Amino acid sequence: MKLAEQLEEQEKYEEAYAEYKKELSNKADIELLTKLGHLALILDKKDEAKAFYAAILEFEPSSILAHEQLLDLFVHEDKFKYYLLRGNLHSLQQQFSHAKSDYRKAIDNAKDQEESLPARYLFAGMAEGQEKYQEAIDEYLRIVDYDEENPVAYLKLAELYEKTEGIVSSIEILERGLKEGGFKEFEEILAGYYIRNSQPDRALELTQNELTKARALMDLDRNDEGFKVLNNVKDQYKNQPILHSLLAQYYFQKGMKDEAFKEIDEYAKLDPNSPLIYQMRALIYENEADSFNEHLNWGKYNILKGEKEVALNEYMTAYQYNNSNVDLIETIAVQLEGMKDFTKACEFYERLVDLEPKNANALQKLAVFRDSIGDYTMALEYMERLKEVDSRNQFVLDNYEKFKDRAENGGGFMSMLKSIFGKRM
């Protein structure tokens, strides 16, 4: 390498180039490939320069330098590759609208449909990333007409149809892929879609997966057959949440509440953030006519689904059945606070301190709220109670004197007047 560098410094480019090529035993040596690409350009060896910069992209797809050099090499001789590379470069630079435009130009400049496929995939992916789902769908539909041996476009269409037109369209495109493309791997995917679309009979025809078979049988009210399948594979799938959800479903349908709850607990150990945990519990409590726990669990379910207002309504309904559950009351208060309804939140914090007089968090929340609305006397009262509960509380240490001053002097304005006029006030 040193000899090659010396020759390059002496502007003996042909000799330096030959020496660098001798060193190229490691095809992933980006530094060496860069030197060779640079010298190939100097020596007007354009085809070799293309090969070296293309090799750089193979090992380092984010190389700006390689993209720029290849753009210069292809600008006049291959518009398809030029626009494809420019699209990639704009994508790396997060200029996504420009990138999508370049991919469209690459498609328009391709010599045939087969050559256009890489640009079509990139354009479709870019459109999907921008949530322009119909553009992505249109492009993937064009792809499946020409890329018959690749299942990716069918799978992407299934995902996009579910977001836009619904699960029936997803099923139709996968059925087309299975029929026209012969993609056997679609059978299990389709079986899952059939289950979700309330077509367990179709799922049972396709699936080889024991858990899917059990689910289909149970959805067909052939519960004992489904349970038998689950028992046969219990040890094999014991670490998969779906096994426990199916067992919980079986026990629920059989009215075996305790066994159902046990399986839900096992499910929760494996997938602790799943909304399904609370959905299953809510259904059991509903069946047991336990309205408090039913609505409490529907609230938790909707929180995990991101439906905060629906969750709050469920919590409020649960509160009507039990207005002394401190965990629920605190949950409602926090929810209201997060929704900026501080007045309503403090009603629940007040209820909380009625039940737990030494709840430091609730006392602090109430002190801050009362102070914020100018009720300085009540704010100090809550501060005094907080001080009694926890005299070392940092909030108390930092703010007690301020709260006391506002309560005694009527706030900042009155305090200022008293400081000016003294006892005459």
Side-chain angles (χ1 to χ4, degrees), residues 228-404:
K228 183 177 180 181
V229 172
L230 292 175
N231 265 333
N232 289 337
V233 296
K234 208 171 184 179
D235 292 336
Q236 181 182 351
Y237 293 107
K238 63 183 178 182
N239 292 322
Q240 291 197 20
I242 189 173
L243 170 72
H244 300 287
S245 70
L246 291 171
L247 286 168
Q249 179 183 338
Y250 172 79
Y251 290 128
F252 170 70
Q253 291 172 340
K254 288 291 186 178
M256 302 166 70
K257 178 184 72 172
D258 294 339
E259 289 81 356
F261 275 128
K262 181 180 177 182
E263 293 301 332
I264 295 169
D265 290 342
E266 290 300 316
Y267 179 97
K269 290 175 186 175
L270 297 169
D271 192 2
N273 296 316
S274 171
L276 184 60
I277 298 165
Y278 303 103
Q279 182 184 34
M280 291 189 289
R281 287 175 180 163
L283 290 170
I284 294 173
Y285 285 123
E286 180 183 9
N287 196 53
E288 294 291 309
D290 183 343
S291 298
F292 170 73
N293 279 305
E294 175 196 343
H295 290 287
L296 180 65
N297 278 279
W298 280 127
K300 293 176 180 178
Y301 168 81
N302 280 291
I303 284 291
L304 288 171
K305 296 284 284 185
E307 300 288 344
K308 293 183 180 179
E309 290 187 7
V310 178
L312 182 60
N313 287 335
E314 294 290 346
Y315 287 140
M316 289 295 196
T317 304
Y319 181 73
Q320 292 174 16
Y321 291 100
N322 183 348
N323 64 2
S324 299
N325 185 290
V326 294
D327 290 335
L328 173 60
I329 293 167
E330 188 163 22
T331 296
I332 293 173
V334 170
Q335 282 290 107
L336 288 164
E337 198 174 0
M339 297 167 75
K340 309 300 182 186
D341 191 345
F342 300 111
T343 302
K344 193 72 175 173
C346 280
E347 290 180 21
F348 283 89
Y349 281 124
E350 285 168 355
R351 176 63 179 155
L352 192 56
V353 296
D354 286 342
L355 295 167
E356 289 189 334
K358 294 184 178 182
N359 189 310
N361 180 59
L363 289 168
Q364 180 176 324
K365 295 285 187 182
L366 288 165
V368 171
F369 174 71
R370 290 296 177 183
D371 186 69
S372 72
I373 63 173
D375 187 355
Y376 303 125
T377 301
M378 200 65 188
L380 180 61
E381 182 178 323
Y382 283 121
M383 185 66 91
E384 294 281 7
R385 290 172 65 179
L386 180 58
K387 184 179 180 183
E388 185 178 339
V389 169
D390 183 6
S391 60
R392 295 183 180 180
N393 183 289
Q394 193 61 47
F395 179 78
V396 173
L397 295 174
D398 292 341
N399 295 283
Y400 179 78
E401 292 300 328
K402 298 173 189 174
F403 276 58
K404 184 178 180 182

Side-chain angles (χ1 to χ4, degrees), residues 117 120-121 124-125 127-128 132-148 150-178 180 183 186 189-190 193 196:
L117 287 172
R120 289 193 184 278
Y121 275 108
E128 184 180 356
K132 295 184 177 180
Y133 297 136
Q134 193 55 54
E135 281 188 19
I137 287 170
D138 291 342
E139 206 57 53
Y140 282 124
L141 284 172
R142 294 186 186 100
I143 289 170
V144 298
D145 288 335
Y146 300 104
D147 199 12
E148 297 173 352
N150 193 337
V152 171
Y154 289 96
L155 295 172
K156 295 301 295 184
L157 281 166
E159 291 177 15
L160 289 165
Y161 279 139
E162 189 169 356
K163 292 178 181 177
T164 54
E165 299 181 20
I167 196 169
V168 172
S169 294
S170 300
I171 288 171
E172 288 173 353
I173 194 65
L174 289 172
E175 287 175 337
R176 177 182 164 187
L178 182 60
E180 296 179 5
F183 302 123
F186 283 10
I189 299 170
L190 261 171
Y193 273 100
R196 291 163 55 203

